[in-house]
Amino acid sequence: MARARLSGHAVQTLSNRRFLIDYAHNPLSAAWFVALASMLTALITVDAYVVLAAFATAMLITLVALRRRGSDEEAEARLDALGSVDRFSERLGLSTVPGDEDDEQLPPTSARELANRLTRRLSIVGDAIAKRDRLVRAALDELESVLDAVEEPVIVIDHKRIVRLCNEAAARTLGGEGAPVAGRAIEELFTQEEVLRMVEGARDGSAHRQILRMTRPDATAIYEVSTVPVVRLEEDEWPDVVITLRDVTELAEAAQTKTDFVANASHELRTPLSSIQMAAETLAGELEEAADPPPLAGKLVRVVQVNADRLGELVQDLLDLTRVESQGDSPKPQDIELAPVVEKITALFEPRCAERQVGIKTSLDEGCAVLKTDPRLFELILRNLVDNATKFSRPETSVSVELEPDPSNAGTLLLRVSDKGIGIPLDQQRRIFERFYQVDPARTGSAMRGTGLGLAIVKHACLALGGDVEVESVWQQGTVFSVRLPQTLAGATDG
């Protein structure tokens, strides 16, 4: 605001006709006039149009100093001075030559006429500055109103990590007891190391987003914090950074409530399910020893056993999915040898493979014999993929499990599990990683059914380990699941 007032005052002063004429007719004061113009220019360089005014004044002083030279040279110099001002004005989108005065195109015949013409030009420049100043102020007021209408806190920090701008929501959330936010260092507002790292990452030109729990003066809340860099004006300058905080406390609490409910319900179901399974096994044993068992008893006991086992799988999958989705259950990386893990997982499905006449082939590249990751999550991924493949493979075919370094991405493990089964229709492939989604068993013709959670567990476990999973499937030919995981989990340290 202070600079704006100074800028307007300087333009008014330099545009005063009497001021210019007096100095134009007093060559002895030329040096003092140049010093005054330089001082004003240094103070108000914030505005390009005011620099134009100082530039025009300097041209006038030059011409005054040369006025005793030949009239032709003097006239040419005066016309060049006006032309320089006009050309510079055109670059700024201004027109300083009045269109209804033909003599404006002729050289000035005296210093007084030169001063008059410069006065008219400076007057036009001053009016343009005032008009654009009003437009800029209106735009800034509108932007401020829009920011204040945003309910989420928004702050802007400069290259010195100082808050330049913030809205009312940021002032309420981060100020605390009426303390101002603008002008404070970012370290005063955020003590979380994660936020400071996100700011540094944004200063390098990349946007970041993360869910963080933050303690405020009044309460503890969960925020989705995002940092976005502002376009740099100069190549060698650090960009400003916009920080936005979105309060997701209610959403996080609702998700945690759902997770807790599923976990508690699953735990409560395990006890009665175990009792049912034990009772069914006991009845099956009694029927085998009975001399004359009832005709339907064996069949009914078998139905109880199959459905109890299926409920047991569902409960276990719910517990696994709950643990994978839990934010508090972070991965615990350690070195694991893949060969024993693969052998242990494939051994779990040997009875099923023998019953369905399905083989399992494994291939482990020497370049990835050891993996630094969370063993529990890795085993969940491998177990659910092999489980899915052995369920839907055609009899007398083989399931292939391959582990090798990813040829297209150094430091990444590529796990492929493929089968020669019935495949997945193209229109359903994008939904197979959803919870409880299953390809229509009547359409596949398979009696084997899963819980609909196995592939959802695979997806979330891959995300937790910093990887991803893809599927390639051809209907009635087979399916290949490809998992890519970092060979060393981010954040893992030696020892």
Side-chain angles (χ1 to χ4, degrees):
M1 182 66 72
R3 290 194 176 190
R5 287 197 297 269
L6 176 60
S7 174
H9 177 70
V11 172
Q12 183 179 4
T13 302
L14 293 175
S15 302
N16 186 278
R17 178 179 177 182
R18 186 72 262 167
F19 182 87
L20 291 174
I21 292 176
D22 289 345
Y23 275 98
H25 285 80
N26 189 359
L28 297 178
S29 303
W32 294 97
F33 187 83
V34 171
L36 175 61
S38 300
M39 179 182 67
L40 289 173
T41 302
L43 289 172
I44 60 177
T45 50
V46 66
D47 197 317
Y49 303 110
V50 182
V51 177
L52 172 63
F55 169 73
T57 305
M59 294 297 297
L60 172 62
I61 299 306
T62 303
L63 291 179
V64 171
L66 297 174
R67 68 177 183 168
R68 296 184 182 277
R69 297 185 180 180
S71 59
D72 293 341
E73 181 180 353
E74 180 181 354
E76 183 178 355
R78 290 170 179 168
L79 190 59
D80 287 344
L82 292 174
S84 298
V85 175
D86 292 339
R87 286 191 297 273
F88 189 57
S89 301
E90 289 175 359
R91 285 188 196 174
L92 301 175
L94 300 174
S95 176
T96 60
V97 179
D100 57 350
E101 296 186 22
D102 297 335
D103 61 345
E104 287 285 344
Q105 306 300 328
L106 300 176
T109 58
S110 65
R112 180 182 296 275
E113 183 178 352
L114 176 61
N116 290 338
R117 293 194 189 183
L118 285 174
T119 300
R120 287 195 293 272
R121 282 160 168 74
L122 292 174
S123 177
I124 294 174
V125 171
D127 292 341
I129 291 174
K131 180 179 179 181
R132 295 197 177 187
D133 182 67
R134 290 193 297 270
L135 292 175
V136 170
R137 291 180 182 279
L140 289 176
D141 291 341
E142 183 178 359
L143 175 60
E144 185 176 353
S145 299
V146 171
L147 284 177
D148 288 338
V150 176
E151 296 182 357
E152 289 81 12
V154 179
I155 65 175
V156 181
I157 62 172
D158 61 16
H159 63 285
K160 296 181 180 179
R161 300 164 67 94
I162 302 299
V163 177
R164 292 181 51 197
L165 178 69
C166 70
N167 61 355
E168 292 183 358
R172 290 193 304 268
T173 303
L174 303 175
E177 298 181 358
V181 174
R184 297 171 64 182
I186 187 67
E187 290 83 0
E188 297 181 38
L189 302 175
F190 298 97
T191 58
Q192 292 79 6
E193 185 65 26
E194 296 87 350
V195 177
L196 302 181
R197 284 200 299 264
M198 292 172 65
V199 170
E200 287 302 315
R203 293 178 67 185
D204 291 336
S206 58
H208 297 267
R209 179 174 297 176
Q210 189 173 347
I211 302 293
L212 297 174
R213 184 180 297 273
M214 305 173 67
T215 302
R216 301 288 75 173
D218 54 344
T220 298
I222 300 175
Y223 290 96
E224 182 185 64
V225 184
S226 62
T227 57
V228 180
V230 180
V231 178
R232 303 182 186 184
L233 298 179
E234 299 292 341
E235 289 294 333
D236 57 346
E237 286 186 355
W238 288 105
D240 293 350
V241 177
V242 179
I243 303 177
T244 305
L245 307 177
R246 188 167 72 94
D247 192 339
V248 294
T249 304
E250 293 185 1
L251 292 175
E253 290 178 349
Q256 188 61 43
T257 300
K258 181 196 74 173
T259 299
D260 293 342
F261 169 78
V262 173
N264 293 333
S266 300
H267 279 294
E268 293 298 326
L269 287 173
R270 296 184 75 171
T271 300
L273 273 175
S274 298
S275 300
I276 293 173
Q277 289 172 326
M278 291 178 60
E281 290 177 3
T282 302
L283 285 175
E286 292 293 335
L287 289 175
E288 289 179 359
E289 297 177 359
D292 187 18
L296 295 178
K299 183 177 181 180
L300 293 176
V301 169
R302 179 59 181 165
V303 170
V304 172
Q305 286 180 314
V306 169
N307 285 278
D309 291 342
R310 188 154 178 255
L311 280 175
E313 292 179 5
L314 176 60
V315 169
Q316 185 59 51
D317 285 348
L318 284 172
L319 287 172
D320 291 338
L321 185 60
T322 299
R323 294 193 188 102
V324 171
E325 291 181 327
S326 176
Q327 296 181 1
D329 192 10
S330 58
K332 299 174 179 59
Q334 64 185 61
D335 290 330
I336 57 174
E337 295 185 7
L338 294 181
V341 173
V342 173
E343 183 178 355
K344 179 180 72 172
I345 296 299
T346 54
L348 296 175
F349 300 96
E350 288 180 355
R352 177 190 297 172
C353 291
E355 180 183 350
R356 303 192 67 241
Q357 299 180 355
V358 174
I360 298 181
K361 297 180 180 179
T362 61
S363 173
L364 177 60
D365 191 282
E366 294 180 356
C368 57
V370 178
L371 185 67
K372 195 177 190 66
T373 190
D374 188 308
R376 180 180 63 85
L377 294 178
F378 180 76
E379 290 183 12
L380 274 178
I381 294 171
L382 183 59
R383 177 167 60 83
N384 280 283
L385 289 179
V386 175
D387 178 38
N388 192 76
T390 55
K391 278 181 181 177
F392 299 105
S393 289
R394 298 182 187 279
E396 300 182 356
T397 61
S398 296
V399 171
S400 176
V401 179
E402 303 172 273
L403 298 98
E404 62 182 3
D406 188 355
S408 61
N409 193 356
T412 301
L413 170 72
L414 176 59
L415 164 65
R416 280 197 298 259
V417 178
S418 56
D419 64 65
K420 303 294 183 182
I422 43 82
I424 304 170
L426 184 61
D427 61 341
Q428 300 188 49
Q429 290 181 16
R430 63 185 180 85
R431 298 193 58 191
I432 59 174
F433 295 104
E434 297 177 8
R435 300 175 184 84
F436 298 108
Y437 184 81
Q438 298 187 62
V439 178
D440 185 3
R443 188 173 183 179
T444 63
S446 173
M448 302 294 294
R449 291 193 61 185
T451 62
L453 293 174
L455 294 180
I457 293 172
V458 170
K459 175 185 175 182
H460 286 279
C462 287
L463 293 176
L465 295 179
D468 57 48
V469 57
E470 298 176 351
V471 60
E472 298 177 17
S473 184
V474 179
W475 178 242
Q476 297 298 342
Q477 293 187 24
T479 302
V480 179
F481 285 95
S482 300
V483 173
R484 290 175 174 83
L485 299 173
Q487 288 185 297
T488 300
L489 184 62
T493 57
D494 294 334

